[in-house]
Amino acid sequence: MFKFNTKYVVNKITNLKKYQVSINTIVKKINLGSLEGTEMMGWVDLIENYNSHELLLMKKKAIEWQKLNLKYIVVVGIGGSYVGVRAAIDMCCGSYNEKTPEILWVHNIAASYLLPLLKKIHNSKFAIIVNSKSGTTLEPALGFRLFREQLQKNVGISKLHKYIVAVTDYEKGTLHDFAKHNHITTFGLANDIGGRFSTLTAVGMFLMIVKGLNPLKILQGAKQARKDCESDNLSRNSAYLYACYRHYLYNFRHLSIENFIVYEPCLEFVGKMWQQIFGESEGKEHKALFPALSLFTTDLHSMGQYFQEGTRNFFETTLIVNKPRYDIVLKIHDDNDKLKYLNNKSIDFVNRKAFEGTIEAHTKLGKVNNFVLEIDYADEWHFGYLFYWFATAVTISGYLLKINPFNQPGVETYKNNMFKLLGRKK
């Protein structure tokens, strides 16, 4: 299950009753739809009213692809069309799911990244999933063109449509029109769900199904998170409490960075998903915490000194798995490397003690505030729970900052400059 642990928080909120009043006001306004951005909260009801017909179509298409004996699946997407679904795949499949095609992620326009991928799929059986609401965002549009051209060489133009799935706008747009004209299977994106909140739509669900994940378990986890987040009472709603603590540490303790920590590489993209959800939702009007990400124990050997004794301008949030998918029990009968004290102990036991030793050092001696998110397993249910819990927390956190957590006007600035420099005409 899931637990939000505040045991290691050094600076407790001094006036929780005042925050409770703010929460009550925000929730009331959300329910009335009177706050800017609430029209983009389609993800809230999505899990309860999931399009079962579309889910069946996704399963049917996944079975069709299984019969094609694909070696690779090229996933074209960036931002919310990439980070969340990769987080789900990495978390739930790890590195050992060899029964399904290998995923090649096309999320960058550097030639040094794309060319090796194109060489890898040359003369191979592969399919493409392209995620883009409009089809005009440069990175996925360019990636789709390159890999579509290679696919056409491999299978021929008459069979091209069998090997492509487009997740795009239901009714309009460049990608929608291209897919319709070429008889390509499409799954829709609703207008009331933004990119970083779209992971449980077809953007993520289709690939999860292809990779063998159970979509019903994902939805069950999300539904449980919604149930757990129904109460306005901060003593019973951990997502709201997390949002209040973030605001308190930023606004009243003047901390500027939140360092999100994972202890397993398969959770690194869950951290990136958290980073995008909070960074893109809150980074406006020169406000908000900077969402940093660390992989421990790896980063303890590069940044550990800073975390322990550097500037006290940050706090930490750690995601820990109580029962990891894999473990190794050590059998050490000699002491040549001075490791015999670890005989009969497991690797997870060692990793857990690294976590416990680190958080004690950072809290007691380093005086760093620490939150701990505990999940029992790295599986579909817990991914669904985490996704909904993060989305709920950032909604409240954003409104506490008095900003709209659902838009991203600043992203358009770099896009407009880039298109201008490239000579694109409106």
Side-chain angles (χ1 to χ4, degrees):
M1 303 302 279
F2 173 88
K3 182 180 180 182
F4 174 62
N5 191 338
T6 60
K7 173 184 176 182
Y8 301 99
V9 177
V10 177
N11 302 117
K12 303 288 187 181
I13 293 178
T14 54
N15 194 341
L16 202 58
K17 289 183 179 179
K18 186 175 180 179
Y19 270 104
Q20 184 64 71
V21 172
S22 297
I23 291 297
N24 292 343
T25 301
I26 290 170
V27 173
K28 183 178 180 180
K29 289 182 177 180
I30 288 174
N31 292 336
L32 290 172
S34 61
L35 288 174
E36 187 179 6
T38 52
E39 71 278 3
M40 294 300 294
M41 292 183 66
W43 53 271
V44 174
D45 292 322
L46 171 74
I47 58 170
E48 295 292 347
N49 306 303
Y50 210 89
N51 188 330
S52 57
H53 177 67
E54 188 168 72
L55 201 59
L56 287 172
L57 291 177
M58 283 189 265
K59 291 179 179 179
K60 181 180 178 181
K61 189 64 180 181
I63 292 171
E64 289 178 13
W65 275 10
Q66 286 176 0
K67 295 176 181 178
L68 295 175
N69 295 317
L70 300 169
K71 187 173 183 180
Y72 303 109
I73 293 176
V74 175
V75 180
V76 181
I78 197 166
S81 297
Y82 155 67
V83 175
V85 63
R86 181 161 183 179
I89 298 298
D90 285 3
M91 174 175 168
C92 301
C93 296
S95 303
Y96 298 94
N97 190 3
E98 299 175 353
K99 295 180 181 179
T100 57
E102 180 184 349
I103 299 176
L104 303 180
W105 305 97
V106 178
H107 58 86
N108 192 286
I109 53 175
S112 59
Y113 180 76
L114 294 171
L115 188 58
L117 294 182
L118 287 165
K119 288 183 176 179
K120 190 170 186 176
I121 62 172
H122 182 69
N123 291 331
S124 295
K125 262 197 168 185
F126 74 94
I128 299 174
I129 301 173
V130 54
N131 295 317
S132 179
K133 189 165 184 68
S134 67
T136 57
T137 302
L138 182 59
E139 293 91 340
L142 186 57
F144 183 42
R145 171 174 281 274
L146 289 171
F147 286 86
R148 185 177 74 242
E149 288 175 347
Q150 183 60 57
L151 181 61
Q152 185 172 318
K153 292 176 183 178
N154 288 10
V155 303
I157 192 169
S158 64
K159 295 182 180 179
L160 192 66
H161 66 283
K162 294 182 179 181
Y163 293 82
I164 300 176
V165 164
V167 184
T168 188
D169 191 277
Y170 276 106
E171 298 177 348
K172 62 183 187 303
T174 301
L175 182 55
H176 169 272
D177 294 345
F178 177 87
K180 185 176 181 180
H181 179 74
N182 290 279
H183 310 291
I184 291 169
T185 298
T186 61
F187 297 115
L189 283 171
N191 291 322
D192 59 354
I193 302 176
R196 59 189 175 279
F197 297 94
S198 68
T199 300
L200 301 190
T201 70
V203 165
M205 280 296 197
F206 177 62
L207 180 59
M208 293 183 211
I209 292 169
V210 170
K211 289 295 289 183
L213 273 61
N214 187 331
L216 297 181
K217 289 184 178 179
I218 296 167
L219 293 173
Q220 286 168 3
K223 287 178 181 179
Q224 185 62 51
R226 184 181 186 184
K227 183 178 180 181
D228 292 348
C229 295
E230 281 179 344
S231 174
D232 297 351
N233 193 318
L234 289 172
S235 65
R236 296 197 293 271
N237 191 325
S238 60
Y240 287 7
L241 182 61
Y242 174 53
C244 290
Y245 259 112
R246 295 181 81 253
H247 184 269
Y248 173 73
L249 293 174
Y250 169 74
N251 213 46
F252 297 104
R253 305 302 301 192
H254 308 297
L255 303 183
S256 56
I257 299 167
E258 180 176 7
N259 185 29
F260 192 89
I261 300 164
V262 296
Y263 277 78
E264 297 196 33
C266 74
L267 297 177
E268 189 169 9
F269 262 83
V270 173
K272 287 183 180 293
M273 179 179 73
W274 166 89
Q275 191 174 47
Q276 185 192 11
I277 286 176
F278 281 90
E280 196 168 32
S281 297
E282 294 189 321
K284 298 151 195 175
E285 301 177 16
H286 300 168
K287 295 179 180 180
L289 290 155
F290 178 82
L293 174 63
S294 295
L295 172 62
F296 283 4
T297 59
T298 304
D299 292 339
L300 281 173
H301 292 263
S302 59
M303 292 293 290
Q305 176 62 40
Y306 185 93
F307 294 143
Q308 189 65 45
E309 297 181 349
T311 304
R312 303 293 82 176
N313 61 347
F314 69 96
F315 65 95
E316 298 176 327
T317 300
T318 300
L319 174 61
I320 200 79
V321 181
N322 290 324
K323 302 171 185 177
R325 184 181 296 105
Y326 306 108
D327 203 0
I328 302 171
V329 177
L330 297 166
K331 297 296 181 182
I332 303 174
H333 303 295
D334 61 66
D335 204 26
N336 295 336
D337 49 9
K338 306 300 179 183
L339 291 177
K340 194 171 182 179
Y341 69 97
L342 296 177
N343 185 40
N344 290 324
K345 294 181 174 66
S346 73
I347 292 292
D348 179 61
F349 176 83
V350 175
N351 204 27
R352 186 78 184 199
K353 296 309 170 188
F355 155 68
E356 293 172 1
T358 299
I359 202 167
E360 182 178 357
H362 287 190
T363 303
K364 291 186 177 180
L365 296 178
K367 303 302 179 183
V368 177
N369 290 281
N370 273 269
F371 302 96
V372 180
L373 311 179
E374 295 182 54
I375 58 174
D376 284 346
Y377 303 99
D379 61 10
E380 295 101 320
W381 191 96
H382 287 88
F383 177 82
Y385 193 105
L386 280 174
F387 178 83
Y388 192 92
W389 193 86
F390 286 151
T392 302
V394 80
T395 299
I396 300 300
S397 189
Y399 285 132
L400 283 169
L401 286 172
K402 302 186 186 308
I403 55 98
N404 176 1
F406 299 106
N407 65 356
Q408 51 279 337
V411 175
E412 299 306 315
T413 304
Y414 99 85
K415 288 183 180 180
N416 292 334
N417 288 347
M418 177 175 63
F419 287 138
K420 183 178 178 180
L421 291 167
L422 290 169
R424 173 181 168 179
K425 296 180 181 179
K426 292 184 179 179

